[in-house]
Amino acid sequence: MTRKTPITIARGDGIGPEIMDATLRILDAAGAQIAPEEIEIGKAVYERGIMNGIEEKAWDSLHRTRVFLKAPITTPQGGGFKSLNVTVRKALGLFANVRPCVAYHPYVKTNFPDMDLVIIRENEEDLYAGIEHRQTQDVVQSIKLISRPGSERIVRYAFEYARANGRRKVTCMAKDNIMKMADGLFHNVFDEIGKEYPDIEQEFYIIDIGTARIAARPSAFDVIVTENLYGDIISDVAVEVTGSVGLGGSCNIGTDFGMFEAVHGSAPDIAGKGIANPSGLLLGSILMLVHIGQGEVAEKIHNAWLRTIEDGIHTGDLYREDLSKRKVGTADFADAVIERLGAKPAKFKPVSYAAGGGAMVLPPLKNVPAEKKVLSGVDVTVEWKGAAPADIAARVKTCTLNGLSLANITNRGVVVWPDGQPETSCSDQWRLRLTGSGNVSFGHVIEILGKLDAAGLDIAKAANLYSYDGKPGWSAGQGE
Ligand code: NAI
Ligand code: MG
């Protein structure tokens, strides 16, 4: 007899308890070897004044089981409450969001009956670090962080996922024609790691055309790997195109932790009526079973579920006079799936988790040799409303810069001095690029900042310009 795997579950809010009961009943009937421990999350916890919606003591269970099956919760609006998902994701280092987007034609209306893709979204970096500053009265900056290890981990995960799940192609999407450094790094890491997976077909799309292609020809994709913001957007596009938002399951994966859930919310409008469709959470729990190495049970449930759908046994959200045979509530739907355990779908392609699953163990990050880092200048951002670029240059010229000189001034990324275009519309934020020929010391930079300040320039920030192994570690201004 297999030892039962402890998992943490939370029933959540709204329809959460109903769909969790149905899901657990199906898992039990299918012979899933799990030992659920329940924690409380969501509305009731928020209402006790716990701002992130999860009690301290709940973490003990999560840290112990490292597997979390979570029903949807109702997120309170306003009042400074923090998103539970973001809290859990950050606390447990869940770097990958995995979202299968599958068409269930003809039971769910879609223009793309063959669609079956998986989006793997980086979960910890990018603009979602939420690092923002008001730089001047008129300009706010939001910082996008992309790291080499972060990119390597998610790209590696995508390739390993493709291999483990019998998928043939991985598509990377980013915008490195514009963000040559940040997205260029992501793209380069994809090309580099991809060489270790010659058995998997590989391609790259610029994110805008890639998104359009998902909307117009989703069947062309298999596994898609992308950065956090792009992944957020294309996940919603793709799941919308399947026509079955209510059926999606998803998971968030960390080095040795997985959180599994439905894509939909707590549906307060139908809570307590016993009519909710438990499929989203059930499909989430199937991802969980694969993750904990119970692929056989996952396969049995998944095929029984497909069979139930094609047998026309539908909850109200899917029910259609012409295609459905029986309209059922949550509990009856679960019973119908249980009755079909062991059966295979006839119209849908049966799924196979023959590999048996198990948490993917990723190889360690590659060893990257340390590069030679040289400070070669500084970008100084100043606030000056209504200035002419030449006035700013003249002000800089009154300072002795000891080996550094003003290379250019940009405004919102465009070079406005020397030789700017009179038409460029300028904000109150100016970036002065000071570069030197030799080695620059940090003390030197500080000294120069002092001089610019004394000359009356209103400094918002300074960013050092480093080169790595002789290559500039900064982008050129547009028109430079
Ligand atoms: P929702 O997904 O809860 O509901 C949208 C519509 O779909 C409603 O008409 C609902 O009745 C229907 N629906 C959703 N799931 C269904 C199911 N399983 N069976 C049948 N019909 C279903 O989205 P909404 O209304 O925007 O959000 C409600 C609450 O859920 C909010 O408090 C929101 O913050 C929260 N939410 C929580 C999530 C989570 O915990 N992961 C994810 C998304 C929203
Ligand atoms: Mg989103």
Side-chain angles (χ1 to χ4, degrees), residues 102-424:
V102 186
Y104 299 105
H105 178 81
Y107 309 98
V108 180
K109 271 203 181 122
T110 172
N111 293 324
F112 308 102
D114 299 331
M115 177 174 184
D116 178 5
L117 60 84
V118 180
I119 293 172
I120 297 188
R121 161 185 171 193
E122 197 287 319
N123 233 350
E124 293 184 303
E125 308 197 328
D126 198 351
L127 286 157
Y128 288 62
I131 306 169
E132 301 192 309
H133 305 89
R134 187 145 175 202
Q135 293 242 294
T136 63
Q137 180 162 327
D138 291 346
V139 177
V140 171
Q141 79 168 6
S142 188
I143 295 182
K144 166 165 174 159
L145 293 173
I146 299 292
S147 76
R148 194 200 139 89
S151 304
E152 184 179 329
R153 206 173 280 133
I154 193 73
V155 162
R156 172 85 69 190
Y157 182 85
F159 280 113
E160 291 288 333
Y161 180 95
R163 255 189 199 164
N165 291 278
R167 296 203 170 245
R168 70 201 145 76
K169 181 168 81 173
V170 178
T171 305
C172 175
M173 293 191 189
K175 185 92 184 165
D176 61 338
N177 53 334
I178 301 295
M179 280 154 282
K180 296 188 171 70
M181 295 186 68
D183 288 20
L185 172 61
F186 194 81
H187 187 171
N188 285 341
V189 168
F190 175 75
D191 288 346
E192 180 191 319
I193 300 298
K195 293 202 174 72
E196 297 174 38
Y197 299 85
D199 49 317
I200 308 273
E201 197 188 320
Q202 301 165 25
E203 65 182 5
F204 178 84
Y205 274 91
I206 300 286
I207 185 68
D208 38 10
I209 186 65
T211 310
R213 200 56 65 82
I214 293 172
R217 279 207 272 136
S219 319
F221 295 104
D222 198 353
V223 174
I224 300 174
V225 63
T226 190
E227 294 166 21
N228 206 342
L229 174 62
Y230 309 141
D232 192 356
I233 298 167
I234 67 171
S235 298
D236 280 9
V237 171
V239 84
E240 186 72 25
V241 168
T242 64
S244 54
V245 183
L247 298 185
S250 92
C251 64
N252 288 279
I253 298 286
T255 305
D256 69 341
F257 193 99
M259 175 168 89
F260 304 84
E261 61 187 333
V263 170
H264 63 72
S266 59
D269 51 331
I270 57 165
K273 297 185 177 160
I275 58 172
N277 187 343
S279 299
L281 189 61
L282 184 66
L283 291 172
S285 78
I286 288 170
L287 296 171
M288 177 190 78
L289 289 171
V290 175
H291 176 82
I292 61 176
Q294 300 187 25
E296 245 173 79
V297 189
E299 181 173 320
K300 201 200 282 184
I301 297 174
H302 204 155
N303 284 326
W305 176 80
L306 288 168
R307 184 61 187 256
T308 308
I309 298 295
E310 62 176 39
D311 280 349
I313 299 174
H314 297 159
T315 43
D317 53 317
L318 288 191
Y319 187 83
R320 278 163 55 192
E321 288 284 324
D322 50 335
L323 282 171
S324 308
K325 291 222 171 59
R326 191 146 67 87
K327 188 173 184 174
V328 292
T330 314
D332 286 345
F333 182 83
D335 289 338
V337 175
I338 290 169
E339 277 163 28
R340 286 165 180 75
L341 288 168
K344 292 237 157 49
K347 292 176 218 150
F348 290 127
K349 203 169 129 242
V351 295
S352 159
Y353 299 107
M360 269 187 269
V361 182
L362 300 187
L365 292 172
K366 285 175 82 162
N367 233 331
V368 181
E371 293 170 65
K372 188 168 169 353
K373 178 175 171 183
V374 175
L375 182 59
S376 6
V378 61
D379 276 352
V380 182
T381 301
V382 302
E383 175 165 0
W384 188 340
K385 186 133 187 140
D391 298 341
I392 301 172
R395 189 72 67 90
V396 176
K397 291 264 158 70
T398 66
C399 308
T400 340
L401 300 177
N402 300 336
L404 284 182
S405 60
L406 182 64
N408 60 57
I409 301 174
T410 58
N411 194 294
R412 290 186 295 175
V414 180
V415 175
V416 292
W417 183 95
D419 309 323
Q421 302 295 330
E423 291 82 7
T424 305

Side-chain angles (χ1 to χ4, degrees), residues 10-90:
R11 283 171 206 274
D13 300 314
I15 58 170
E18 303 161 51
I19 60 174
M20 180 61 84
D21 283 345
T23 298
L24 291 177
R25 224 151 45 74
I26 297 168
L27 263 57
D28 187 48
Q33 297 299 311
I34 53 170
E37 302 180 359
E38 184 162 353
I39 62 169
E40 193 189 8
I41 56 166
K43 196 156 170 280
V45 181
Y46 281 117
E47 278 168 0
R48 268 179 249 140
I50 295 162
M51 300 309 278
N52 61 12
I54 178 164
E55 299 238 43
E56 255 333 288
K57 61 176 194 261
W59 291 105
D60 297 343
S61 173
L62 291 171
H63 284 302
R64 196 168 51 245
T65 67
R66 313 198 73 78
V67 181
F68 186 19
L69 180 63
K70 172 179 163 290
I73 61 165
T74 302
T75 319
Q77 296 294 305
F81 293 105
K82 286 201 243 153
S83 155
L84 177 79
N85 264 5
V86 175
T87 303
V88 174
R89 198 189 295 161
K90 291 204 164 148

Side-chain angles (χ1 to χ4, degrees), residues 430-445:
W430 310 83
R431 191 193 67 186
L432 323 181
R433 176 157 288 174
L434 305 176
T435 53
S437 44
N439 237 330
V440 181
S441 75
F442 188 51
H444 190 170
V445 166

